[in-house]
């Protein structure tokens, strides 16, 4: 950022380095962080505020948020320069690690890896359109799965670019919708609710209505009752576990039926995702100030997504060919 006077971010760093050490469990509760914020706002956010670069203003960075960002790193760097990390671990601020931003993005690698997932879904949808016959009844469900995936990863990119209340909600609701749709179409495929039979058509309508109501209740609870992170995680994990069980069982029976190696892929993909989820449990300070466990979790889901669409294509081609032979 270009500074209009010497008493800006750099001068602020010198001031904060002189502040005494006070122990705290959360970064934003540290007295030196609070003192840093107060001095920064008084120095840079008054009648003649320090200019903010255009691309930062474009992403809604203002003077207080600039102070917050710089104070996080000033305090963190000062603590690490005085003591090794294992004695004074990097503290979180506002529930997040102090990331180094890039082009105004708060968590640049989470944004990049979310983009990779978006592109994986986009590629997968192109494969579905190209290699699965329009007359195949599951095709529309697979494409809908892709659209839910695209939307969820767009919201993820937005949220990790700038963390606001509204972008957080979009990210959580988008991810929840994608996870629930995964269960929805798993039930449709496993139990063949796509078949044009009166009983199954009725069951499909009931199952569709059930999922819509469940999602609406989920959103309303989080919006109107309580923004509960524990509940949200539990709900998504429960739905994810159920669909993983369904696909693992389906994989076993499908392999016994067709005897092809690709029929085992759903079970292998489930195993991959379970191992990848362990990254979410590690939660270490970001390497180089940019790459943390959560961003690596996003990276770890790219290959399974591509692999999954490859399975859907092979399964559809096998199923469609068998249906035509029977006809």
């Amino acid at each position: 950022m270009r500074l209009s006077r010497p008493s800006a971010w750099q001068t602020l760093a010198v001031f904060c380095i002189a502040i005494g050490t006070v122990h705290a469990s959360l970064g934003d509760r540290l007295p030196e962080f609070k003192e840093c914020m107060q001095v920064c706002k008084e120095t840079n956010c008054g009648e003649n505020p320090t200019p903010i670069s255009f691309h930062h203003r474009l992403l809604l960075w203002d003077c207080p948020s600039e102070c917050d960002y710089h104070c996080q790193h000033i305090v963190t760097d000062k603590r690490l320069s005085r003591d090794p990390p294992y004695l004074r671990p990097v503290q979180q601020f506002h529930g997040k690690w102090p990331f180094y931003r890039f082009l105004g993005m708060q968590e640049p690698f989470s944004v990049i890896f979310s983009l990779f997932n978006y592109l994986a879904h986009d590629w997968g949808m192109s494969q579905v359109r190209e290699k699965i016959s329009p007359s195949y009844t599951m095709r529309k469900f697979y494409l809908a799965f892709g659209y839910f995936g695209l939307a969820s990863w767009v919201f993820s990119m937005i949220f990790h670019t700038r963390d606001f209340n509204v972008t957080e909600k979009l990210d959580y609701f988008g991810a929840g919708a994608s996870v629930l749709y995964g269960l929805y179409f798993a039930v449709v495929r496993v139990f063949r609710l796509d078949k044009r039979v009166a009983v199954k058509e009725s069951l499909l309508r009931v199952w569709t209505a059930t999922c819509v109501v469940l999602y609406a209740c989920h959103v309303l609870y989080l919006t109107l009752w309580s923004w509960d992170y524990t509940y949200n995680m539990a709900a998504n994990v429960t739905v994810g576990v159920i669909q993983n069980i369904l696909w693992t069982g389906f994989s076993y029976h499908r392999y016994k039926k067709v005897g092809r190696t690709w029929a085992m892929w759903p079970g292998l993909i489930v195993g991959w995702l379970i191992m990848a989820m362990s990254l979410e449990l590690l939660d270490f300070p970001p390497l180089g100030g940019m790459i943390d466990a959560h961003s690596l979790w996003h990276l770890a889901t790219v290959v399974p997504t591509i692999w999954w669409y490859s399975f859907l294509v092979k399964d559809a081609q096998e199923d469609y060919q068998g249906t035509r032979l029977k006809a």
Side-chain angles (χ1 to χ4, degrees), residues 190-207:
V190 172
F191 299 105
R192 297 318 306 258
L193 300 186
D194 60 303
K195 296 293 186 181
R196 296 188 177 97
V197 180
V199 174
K200 292 196 173 184
E201 287 179 345
S202 297
L203 288 174
L204 178 60
R205 284 193 290 271
V206 171
W207 175 233

Side-chain angles (χ1 to χ4, degrees), residues 24-236:
S25 58
L26 294 175
D28 45 295
R29 294 180 183 174
L30 288 171
E32 56 256 50
F33 177 74
K34 294 179 180 179
E35 187 72 19
C36 178
M37 286 292 293
Q38 180 180 349
V39 172
C40 180
K41 290 179 181 179
E42 290 175 354
T43 304
N44 300 288
C45 303
E47 295 181 358
N48 184 26
T50 300
I52 299 173
S53 61
F54 174 74
H55 67 282
H56 284 171
R57 286 186 283 113
L58 194 64
L59 292 177
L60 304 181
W61 289 93
D62 55 14
C63 192
S65 61
E66 286 282 339
C67 282
D68 189 283
Y69 171 79
H70 287 280
C71 283
Q72 287 186 31
H73 289 285
I74 288 168
V75 171
T76 298
D77 291 344
K78 181 197 67 171
R79 290 163 64 87
L80 290 176
S81 67
R82 185 174 56 242
D83 297 299
Y86 61 86
L87 290 180
R88 302 184 63 81
V90 176
Q91 297 291 331
Q92 291 189 341
F93 296 83
H94 317 298
K96 286 195 169 189
W97 297 113
F99 289 90
Y100 286 113
R101 65 190 177 188
F102 177 71
L103 298 178
M105 296 182 290
Q106 283 180 273
E107 300 172 55
F109 277 92
S110 286
V111 175
I112 293 170
F113 296 155
S114 293
L115 174 61
F116 288 174
N117 279 278
Y118 176 94
L119 295 175
H121 277 281
D122 185 62
W123 174 85
M125 293 176 71
S126 70
Q127 295 299 295
V128 170
R129 293 190 182 98
E130 178 184 339
K131 298 180 179 180
I132 297 180
S133 170
S135 61
Y136 183 61
T137 52
M138 282 300 301
R139 185 177 186 266
K140 61 182 179 182
F141 294 100
Y142 295 164
L143 289 175
F145 170 74
Y147 284 119
F148 274 96
L150 293 178
S152 68
W153 288 112
V154 166
F155 294 146
S156 176
M157 285 186 280
I158 293 172
F159 171 60
H160 290 298
T161 296
R162 288 293 278 126
D163 179 0
F164 295 117
N165 184 50
V166 64
T167 59
E168 181 182 43
K169 283 182 166 56
L170 286 173
D171 179 48
Y172 276 58
F173 293 157
S178 182
V179 171
L180 183 57
Y181 185 82
L183 175 61
Y184 170 78
F185 100 91
V187 169
V188 174
R189 174 63 185 93
V190 172
F191 299 105
R192 297 318 306 258
L193 300 186
D194 60 303
K195 296 293 186 181
R196 296 188 177 97
V197 180
V199 174
K200 292 196 173 184
E201 287 179 345
S202 297
L203 288 174
L204 178 60
R205 284 193 290 271
V206 171
W207 175 233
T208 302
T210 299
C211 288
V212 170
V213 170
L214 286 174
Y215 181 71
C217 290
H218 175 72
V219 171
L220 289 173
Y221 173 78
L222 290 173
T223 304
L224 302 179
W225 186 260
S226 173
W227 185 252
D228 189 334
Y229 292 97
T230 303
Y231 156 75
N232 182 73
M233 178 63 72
N236 281 282

